[in-house]
Amino acid sequence: MAEERSRNFIENEIDKDLKEGVYDHVHTRFPPEPNGYLHIGHAKSILLNYGLAKEYGGKFNLRFDDTNPTKEKSEFVESIKEDVKWLGADYEDRLFFASDYFDRMYEAAVTLIKKGLAYVSKLTADEIREYRGTLTEPGKNDPDRDRSIEENLELFEKMKAGDFADGEVTLRAKIDMASSNINMRDPIIYRVAHLSHQNTGDKWCIYPMYDFAHPLEDAFEGITHSICTLEFEDHRPLYNWVVDNVGFEMPPRQIEFAKLYLKDVVTGKRYIKKLVEDGTVDGWDDPRLVSIAGLRRRGYTPDSLRLFVELSGVSKANSVSEMPLLEYCIREDLKQKDKRIMAVLDPIRLVIDNYPEGQVEMVKGTNNPDNPELGEREIPLGRELYIEREDFMEEPPKKYFRLFPGNEVRLMNAYFVKCVSFEKDADGKISVVHCTYDPETKQGTDKEMPRKVKGTIHWVHADSAVKFTARLYENIVDEEKGVYDENGNVNVNPNSLVVMKECYAEPELKGAKAYDSFQFVRNGFFCVDAKDSKDDDIVMNRVVSLKSSFKLPVQQG
Ligand code: ATP
Ligand code: MG
């Protein structure tokens, strides 16, 4: 699939660490906060972390960063586990919850206090902000900064015991109020919050801050390379300060990479939540969303996402990827894997006047010319067929090579047919096209064709057709207006979902199960909808159309 690529900067760092003996193995993790569904950006992080562990023969942890008691939900825990597994990032039995470490985090804070490196502060949130200084001015020392170790230990104990109200006191790391890095100006590491937690219940009324908790979680699990996104770069000195001062034999190191941004898509949890709540989309797994659940339901495969992550690269520089690259990746994957069958989405009847009534014959079709392993199939043909409405025109424009009165075309995999007449319904719409066929033109025989035709159209035998519903999608975002309007609402594309209720496919579609996918010739790749499809009422989502003007950029290096 992908060609040999040059090593990315994270691999270079890891190579160096292993060579210098900083670490003798590699252990990575994916640490989601269970406060929403995962999206394509998280897929990048998952595949990157898992891929590195695998590449170096190391381990990979899935860890829920559930230190924040207000937001977590078990619905999200379950969906995240499912998504990570589906992507193929096998965490085996290494599933962890940060809240299981609350006792050890508390002990780590006590260690810092005992070293004179943390103190209980009575400043209010506003005062702390005021004392912090600015980018150009140093901060001021907290009046409680030099309180004795014994007193700090006692006060911290009281914090834990619930003797203080929310916000009344905090535990601060004692670092440097004059640091040029504001994150190092005595950051808060514990706060009082009388909230129950989904995992620990009412055991705690103090909770660790992210910048303190995260490095500890990594260190407790023996993570070597803690890979995160660029916004944490300025927090790295604090990360190092925590692991160095709490004291670990082989402390983890943080490496930052640029987030994946996709142009013109909605990824913000808050916006998706709104779309779900106001019914614009059918849940977090709506096939128009780039949530992993939505992509899966749409018909994307783990292989296609892996290729996408590979092609979008790992770098320190922010960049924006485009949907057409993602679409390229799923086409590349499915064009190899899927059977190519005929299905008509907007049907009109075609009657072959000179074909014997009641007769059915089988013609041969190649399942995938690019993948001979998929073999051949037999396709029934009879007197009455369905063809696409757009494959017939009463008065064709120039260069229209499909059916029109007097014109002859090939029925894909079958015979030449010539249009002899047509019928209209009461509304003046074409309802039936009449043709005659030439028995001497059957495809797949060795006979030379008596003449040439310019057009080939696909068709489905009416009596044996499988009826189904097709859902055709466009971006949920109205790209001309941009993703969000001035009130922070998504500019929804009114054509983002078109439902075609009367579609017909070859019998091959019979028995199709959730996530099965097919290429419908000329119409695109389609996948059985996992939520709404039933055995006797199949619903197919169009994953992607066949054509694109997208060209894979020439890769550097
Ligand atoms: P929140 O704003 O709620 O924190 P989040 O997207 O950062 O949202 P997390 O659960 O904290 O959600 O993310 C888990 C991991 O996924 C983090 O390590 C984060 O750096 C990574 N991640 C999040 N978004 C992207 C992205 N767009 N590209 C690559 N990695 C990402
Ligand atoms: Mg986050």
Side-chain angles (χ1 to χ4, degrees):
M1 199 162 55
E3 281 130 56
E4 195 56 40
R5 55 164 178 80
S6 52
R7 295 177 79 65
N8 65 49
F9 82 96
I10 298 181
E11 291 167 314
N12 290 336
E13 288 295 312
I14 296 179
D15 288 345
K16 198 167 135 243
D17 285 343
L18 294 175
K19 198 168 145 220
E20 291 172 359
V22 181
Y23 302 106
D24 58 4
H25 67 288
V26 172
H27 197 154
T28 59
R29 87 289 176 260
F30 175 65
E33 202 180 322
N35 63 353
Y37 278 61
L38 299 181
H39 57 63
I40 181 82
H42 298 116
K44 177 161 190 165
S45 177
I46 293 164
L47 292 171
L48 175 62
N49 278 293
Y50 175 72
L52 289 167
K54 224 176 147 197
E55 179 185 341
Y56 289 93
K59 288 180 182 161
F60 168 75
N61 292 3
L62 173 60
R63 179 207 311 141
F64 285 99
D65 209 329
D66 62 347
T67 52
N68 192 341
T70 54
K71 288 187 255 171
E72 284 90 18
K73 259 206 183 158
S74 57
E75 175 198 351
F76 299 134
V77 169
E78 290 314 310
S79 75
I80 290 171
K81 275 158 63 176
E82 189 182 344
D83 290 348
V84 172
K85 278 204 186 120
W86 177 75
L87 279 171
D90 187 2
Y91 50 85
E92 296 166 46
D93 55 353
R94 280 184 294 282
L95 170 65
F96 300 101
F97 290 84
S99 56
D100 286 337
Y101 308 138
F102 280 160
D103 284 295
R104 293 169 78 183
M105 289 176 182
Y106 179 82
E107 285 312 314
V110 169
T111 301
L112 292 180
I113 297 172
K114 285 182 178 159
K115 287 185 171 178
L117 292 175
Y119 59 94
V120 173
S121 165
K122 292 195 169 164
L123 292 185
T124 62
D126 283 342
E127 285 165 338
I128 287 187
R129 209 167 304 124
E130 224 181 275
Y131 275 63
R132 190 161 49 212
T134 64
L135 283 174
T136 49
E137 280 168 55
K140 276 193 303 189
N141 280 354
D142 190 311
D144 295 323
R145 205 173 197 262
D146 293 318
R147 183 186 292 112
S148 73
I149 289 174
E150 287 65 34
E151 251 179 298
N152 278 319
L153 285 172
E154 207 171 296
L155 284 169
F156 189 49
E157 182 78 46
K158 283 190 169 156
M159 276 173 74
K160 183 190 178 199
D163 291 0
F164 295 105
D166 292 4
E168 202 182 336
V169 290
T170 55
L171 185 71
R172 300 182 73 175
K174 191 173 180 176
I175 309 179
D176 178 7
M177 289 307 294
S179 171
S180 58
N181 183 337
I182 291 186
N183 294 309
M184 299 297 274
R185 293 184 189 169
D186 291 12
I188 297 173
I189 58 179
Y190 258 97
R191 65 184 171 121
V192 178
H194 291 267
L195 293 170
S196 38
H197 186 280
Q198 59 153 11
N199 181 21
T200 56
D202 292 327
K203 178 173 175 190
W204 297 92
C205 61
I206 55 172
Y207 290 97
M209 303 301 285
Y210 181 87
D211 279 341
F212 179 61
H214 200 85
L216 291 176
E217 294 159 24
D218 286 339
F220 294 154
E221 290 175 17
I223 299 302
T224 56
H225 297 85
S226 174
I227 294 156
C228 66
T229 41
L230 227 44
E231 71 270 26
F232 292 103
E233 196 169 24
D234 289 344
H235 298 240
R236 190 185 338 131
L238 178 53
Y239 183 103
N240 291 338
W241 185 92
V242 170
V243 292
D244 289 346
N245 287 297
V246 172
F248 293 94
E249 233 164 75
M250 204 185 270
R253 72 172 280 209
Q254 175 179 304
I255 302 178
E256 310 86 15
F257 73 102
K259 270 193 173 175
L260 173 78
Y261 289 102
L262 256 185
K263 195 165 169 254
D264 291 333
V265 306
V266 192
T267 50
K269 285 169 192 162
R270 160 166 96 83
Y271 300 103
I272 294 180
K273 196 157 167 270
K274 212 160 159 199
L275 292 175
V276 172
E277 279 166 4
D278 68 17
T280 309
V281 297
D282 167 30
W284 286 83
D285 60 354
D286 186 287
R288 289 166 291 179
L289 298 174
V290 293
S291 57
I292 296 178
L295 290 167
R296 175 168 62 232
R297 192 172 156 204
R298 176 79 169 257
Y300 277 83
T301 58
D303 281 341
S304 67
L305 299 185
R306 264 193 291 279
L307 179 61
F308 175 69
V309 164
E310 183 93 344
L311 291 176
S312 63
V314 179
S315 108
K316 271 245 178 223
N318 278 318
S319 67
V320 177
S321 296
E322 307 215 8
M323 272 315 274
L325 177 63
L326 188 58
E327 293 172 347
Y328 164 86
C329 294
I330 187 65
R331 275 192 204 98
E332 281 299 295
D333 192 32
L334 297 183
K335 112 181 160 196
Q336 289 295 322
K337 290 178 182 164
D338 278 2
K339 280 190 184 166
R340 295 181 194 178
I341 68 172
M342 297 188 286
V344 172
L345 303 186
D346 183 12
I348 51 172
R349 278 185 175 257
L350 180 143
V351 178
I352 308 175
D353 291 343
N354 61 340
Y355 197 92
E357 209 139 343
Q359 180 176 310
V360 178
E361 70 178 290
M362 298 307 248
V363 299
K364 264 205 174 80
T366 304
N367 283 332
N368 184 334
D370 293 342
N371 184 355
E373 275 178 30
L374 293 180
E376 289 189 328
R377 72 184 181 289
E378 305 256 291
I379 309 160
L381 171 93
R383 182 180 156 94
E384 291 210 13
L385 313 177
Y386 293 113
I387 62 167
E388 297 286 353
R389 180 170 294 282
E390 59 160 44
D391 284 345
F392 174 81
M393 281 185 105
E394 186 179 350
E395 287 165 37
K398 266 193 181 156
K399 298 207 170 155
Y400 183 85
F401 298 123
R402 289 169 274 169
L403 277 175
F404 55 88
N407 194 42
E408 190 174 49
V409 299
R410 172 176 288 291
L411 291 178
M412 189 176 286
N413 301 310
Y415 298 99
F416 288 5
V417 289
K418 185 173 188 171
C419 174
V420 291
S421 64
F422 57 89
E423 295 171 34
K424 287 185 180 175
D425 63 17
D427 303 330
K429 272 174 82 184
I430 304 290
S431 54
V432 185
V433 175
H434 290 273
C435 290
T436 53
Y437 87 114
D438 178 353
E440 296 306 308
T441 55
K442 187 167 184 175
Q443 189 168 306
T445 57
D446 295 336
K447 266 193 241 166
E448 198 170 314
M449 290 298 140
R451 57 195 173 274
K452 283 200 166 132
V453 288
K454 281 197 168 147
T456 298
I457 63 171
H458 63 276
W459 53 274
V460 172
H461 176 227
D463 288 345
S464 57
V466 177
K467 192 175 173 203
F468 68 98
T469 298
R471 292 176 177 163
L472 309 181
Y473 299 105
E474 283 181 13
N475 193 348
I476 184 126
V477 169
D478 185 334
E479 292 171 17
E480 262 159 38
K481 291 188 184 157
V483 183
Y484 305 111
D485 69 11
E486 66 280 0
N487 303 318
N489 293 313
V490 173
N491 286 315
V492 175
N493 170 5
N495 302 319
S496 65
L497 170 61
V498 173
V499 181
M500 312 286 283
K501 289 205 157 88
E502 200 200 343
C503 306
Y504 295 97
E506 293 176 31
E508 197 67 27
L509 192 66
K510 213 173 284 165
K513 292 275 169 291
Y515 302 114
D516 283 354
S517 69
F518 297 86
Q519 179 180 143
F520 292 157
V521 289
R522 294 171 65 210
N523 280 320
F525 295 98
F526 285 76
C527 173
V528 179
D529 187 82
K531 231 175 175 172
D532 301 326
S533 192
K534 303 194 182 67
D535 284 350
D536 55 356
D537 190 5
I538 295 179
V539 179
M540 305 290 295
N541 298 327
R542 177 147 74 185
V543 191
V544 68
S545 62
L546 296 177
K547 285 203 199 81
S548 122
S549 52
F550 175 77
K551 293 244 168 26
L552 193 60
V554 178
Q555 286 224 284
Q556 282 135 18

